[in-house]
């Protein structure tokens, strides 16, 4: 061009609790033996108490760790998921406001969710893009296909889906063919122009519409239109400057000045359109 989360927590709690009571029941010295064993029991009991206290402390630390390392992130993920769902529903409500039936909106919502996964774009971006598709082209059998092409173009061109649709609709509507096939052709030409020229997809999207209708009415092919932007961006400026200059040049050919008329006559041409065809 001339651009989940895994929460793992592993912990091992290991402790040894050993209370050894050795009882000797001998006929002679019985009390002494019991007394000695009771001393051992007392000592072991204290050790056991300390071990249990340590386990309790470890479990407390684990609980704190779970709260900080697991619970809070999970709460954050939940909040983000809720917001994304809410934003998607708002976007689809906007689509529904265009007069679509509830069943159709639900169908289109599924496409938005699928494309979000496929192209790594947010459902909000795609819902906004869908609204633009419906606004620009109407609801047709090609709606989801056009949205798919726009999402793919936007991903490749590092742009928003709405920006891609602005470009695709401006060109295809200007040339009078808004089928999915025509949209795909325009997408390919636009991405090639970004690759060969010195512009970006968003810049091209914001500029090319200024000259599309004029170029189409004068018989200039899409390939020639995009070739102009590919050749002149970086030479006379960005896409905005190219579109302004190109539009001016085409207008002067459509409505030639006396000087231009004389030039055309000297070339044996009756009009500026004849010069373009030649």
């Amino acid at each position: 061009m001339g651009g989940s989360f895994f929460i793992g927590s592993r912990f091992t709690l290991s402790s040894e609790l050993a209370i050894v009571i050795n009882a000797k029941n001998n006929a002679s010295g019985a009390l002494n033996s019991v007394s000695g064993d009771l001393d051992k029991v007392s000592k072991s009991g204290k050790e056991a108490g300390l071990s249990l206290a340590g386990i309790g402390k470890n479990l407390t630390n684990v609980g704190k760790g779970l709260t900080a390392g697991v619970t809070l992130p999970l709460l954050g993920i939940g909040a983000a998921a809720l917001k994304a769902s809410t934003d998607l529903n708002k976007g689809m409500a906007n689509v529904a406001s265009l007069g679509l039936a509830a069943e159709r909106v639900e169908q289109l919502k599924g496409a938005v969710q699928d494309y979000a996964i496929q192209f790594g774009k947010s459902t909000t971006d795609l819902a906004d893009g869908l609204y633009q598709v419906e606004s620009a082209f109407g609801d047709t059998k090609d709606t989801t296909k056009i949205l798919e092409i726009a999402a793919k173009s936007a991903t490749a061109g590092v742009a928003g889906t709405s920006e891609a649709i602005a470009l695709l609709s401006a060109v295809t509507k200007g040339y009078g063919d808004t089928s999915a096939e025509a949209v795909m052709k325009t997408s390919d030409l636009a991405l090639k122009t970004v690759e060969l020229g010195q512009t970006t997809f968003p810049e091209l999207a914001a500029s090319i519409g200024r000259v599309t209708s004029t170029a189409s009415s004068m018989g200039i092919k899409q390939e020639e239109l995009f070739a102009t932007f590919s050749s002149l961006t970086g030479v006379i400026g960005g896409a905005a400057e190219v579109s302004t200059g190109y539009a001016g040049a085409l207008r002067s050919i459509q409505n030639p000045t006396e000087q231009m008329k004389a030039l055309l006559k000297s070339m044996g041409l009756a009009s500026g359109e004849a010069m373009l065809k030649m």
Side-chain angles (χ1 to χ4, degrees):
M1 172 179 173
S4 334
F5 291 88
F6 293 95
I7 301 176
S9 61
R10 180 180 179 183
F11 59 89
T12 303
L13 298 178
S14 60
S15 62
E16 296 181 358
L17 178 60
I19 302 176
V20 180
I21 302 175
N22 295 318
K24 297 179 181 179
N25 187 12
N26 297 322
S28 60
L31 291 175
N32 290 331
S33 297
V34 171
S35 177
D37 288 339
L38 288 173
D39 288 339
K40 294 179 181 179
V41 170
S42 177
K43 182 178 180 182
S44 298
K46 292 178 180 179
E47 293 174 350
L50 291 173
S51 296
L52 288 171
I55 293 172
K57 182 177 180 180
N58 287 336
L59 286 173
T60 299
N61 290 336
V62 168
K64 291 179 180 179
L66 285 173
T67 298
V70 177
T71 307
L72 293 178
L74 284 175
L75 288 174
I77 294 170
L82 178 61
K83 184 180 185 305
S85 177
T86 302
D87 291 345
L88 172 58
N89 288 334
K90 287 181 179 178
M92 297 311 298
N94 290 336
V95 173
S97 71
L98 296 174
L100 278 69
E103 295 80 4
R104 177 58 170 164
V105 173
E106 194 63 27
Q107 179 186 28
L108 294 171
K109 181 178 180 180
V112 165
Q113 292 170 318
D114 289 343
Y115 295 152
I117 295 171
Q118 184 176 348
F119 300 114
K121 303 188 77 64
S122 73
T123 54
T124 302
D125 172 84
L126 287 164
D128 291 344
L130 175 61
Y131 181 88
Q132 297 302 325
V133 171
E134 293 285 357
S135 297
F137 301 101
D139 190 46
T140 71
K141 63 181 180 63
D142 286 339
T143 293
T144 55
K145 184 61 179 178
I146 291 173
L147 179 62
E148 179 185 3
I149 295 169
K152 187 182 296 185
S153 298
T155 299
V158 194
T161 303
S162 293
E163 290 176 309
I165 293 165
L167 189 158
L168 299 175
S169 63
V171 176
T172 55
K173 291 174 74 174
Y175 278 84
D177 185 354
T178 58
S179 65
E181 292 78 11
V183 171
M184 177 63 80
K185 174 184 177 179
T186 299
S187 172
D188 290 343
L189 288 171
L191 290 172
K192 196 65 178 179
T193 298
V194 170
E195 177 187 340
L196 298 177
Q198 194 170 332
T199 187
T200 66
F201 202 95
E203 290 174 353
L204 194 59
S207 304
I208 199 167
R210 301 171 188 168
V211 70
T212 301
S213 295
T214 304
S216 175
S217 67
M218 297 179 69
I220 297 172
K221 297 179 180 180
Q222 279 195 50
E223 291 83 354
E224 297 168 334
L225 170 66
F226 281 102
T228 299
F229 282 86
S230 175
S231 301
L232 296 181
T233 50
V235 176
I236 66 172
E241 287 77 16
V242 171
S243 66
T244 300
Y246 192 23
L250 293 180
R251 284 195 298 270
S252 69
I253 292 175
Q254 279 186 316
N255 303 292
T257 62
E258 292 302 318
Q259 184 178 5
M260 176 65 76
K261 289 178 181 179
L263 177 61
L264 292 172
K265 184 177 181 180
S266 67
M267 298 172 63
L269 300 171
S271 66
E273 285 83 352
M275 182 178 70
L276 286 175
K277 289 179 181 180
M278 183 186 69

